[in-house]
Amino acid sequence: MEEFSSQIFKENKQKTRDVRFSKEKVYYIGIIIFLVSIVFYLLDLEEFSTYLGILGIIVLTVGRIVMSGRLPVIGHKPYRFTIMKDGILIGTEKINLDVTKDIKIFIHSYRGEAIGQRTAFYQTYAGTENTLKFTYQNMETEFNFVLHSEIAKEDLVDFCEEHQIIYEK
């Protein structure tokens, strides 16, 4: 493989945090309702505790359904980049590097990779958490990039092994 291409990802952290919180809000409300029903049960107000307990479980389940799916990540992809055996091409600018020494790649996930967790029924990664670091003219540069599929992840690993590029999974 002569080169590997993907897209740089620039995340808007505030919007991502807001969307994640709005998806988790229903779940947290269900927990609070259920805990209030337990307090009513301990105070011997069983009429209220039964109805609140049922309502809490329903809201909790709806919250788990709302949280399911791909983790929200909001941002944009300003440039395409290509790692070649003699450097990196970012947009239209080529940076000549010794790829075996100057580049480090941290592979976190690909889009659609399942997350092992117990809160939602299922969740998947957005594939934007991967990082590429390189040193150019004594300055270290770092950016996130997108892996669109498991095949792209395997292609990147194969490319790194073929060209002795340092990477971590």
Side-chain angles (χ1 to χ4, degrees), residues 131-162:
T131 307
L132 178 102
K133 290 183 181 182
F134 63 92
T135 305
Y136 181 66
Q137 296 179 346
N138 296 327
M139 293 179 60
E140 190 162 299
T141 304
E142 175 180 333
F143 58 82
N144 287 1
F145 66 95
V146 181
L147 285 176
H148 293 285
S149 66
E150 186 175 9
I151 294 170
K153 180 180 177 181
E154 291 171 3
D155 288 345
L156 177 58
V157 169
D158 291 344
F159 180 80
C160 289
E161 288 174 353
E162 182 179 324

Side-chain angles (χ1 to χ4, degrees), residues 17-77:
R17 191 172 18 255
D18 291 347
V19 169
R20 283 188 182 169
F21 177 72
S22 68
K23 287 185 85 169
E24 295 170 353
K25 197 182 323 183
V26 178
Y27 177 75
Y28 294 136
I29 290 171
I31 290 173
I32 290 171
I33 293 172
F34 187 74
L35 291 175
V36 168
S37 75
I38 291 173
V39 170
F40 280 179
Y41 178 76
L42 294 174
L43 294 173
D44 290 330
L45 297 170
E46 293 179 11
E47 298 171 5
F48 297 115
S49 70
T50 304
Y51 295 121
L52 276 177
I54 292 170
L55 179 65
I57 290 171
I58 291 171
V59 172
L60 192 79
T61 304
V62 169
R64 289 178 69 189
I65 292 169
V66 169
M67 286 173 50
S68 294
R70 191 173 74 196
L71 283 180
V73 178
I74 298 173
H76 66 285
K77 301 170 190 163

Side-chain angles (χ1 to χ4, degrees), residues 1 3-6 81-84 87-88 97-109 129-135 140-147 152-169:
M1 180 183 279
E3 60 184 36
F4 175 80
S5 293
S6 188
F81 78 96
T82 303
I83 305 171
M84 300 171 287
I88 298 177
L97 300 169
D98 181 4
V99 294
T100 60
K101 296 177 185 173
D102 295 334
I103 297 178
K104 295 177 188 157
I105 299 175
F106 301 94
I107 303 170
H108 184 267
S109 61
E129 301 86 5
N130 308 295
T131 307
L132 178 102
K133 290 183 181 182
F134 63 92
T135 305
E140 190 162 299
T141 304
E142 175 180 333
F143 58 82
N144 287 1
F145 66 95
V146 181
L147 285 176
K153 180 180 177 181
E154 291 171 3
D155 288 345
L156 177 58
V157 169
D158 291 344
F159 180 80
C160 289
E161 288 174 353
E162 182 179 324
H163 297 287
Q164 291 89 33
I165 296 174
I166 301 168
Y167 73 96
E168 288 183 25
K169 285 187 182 181

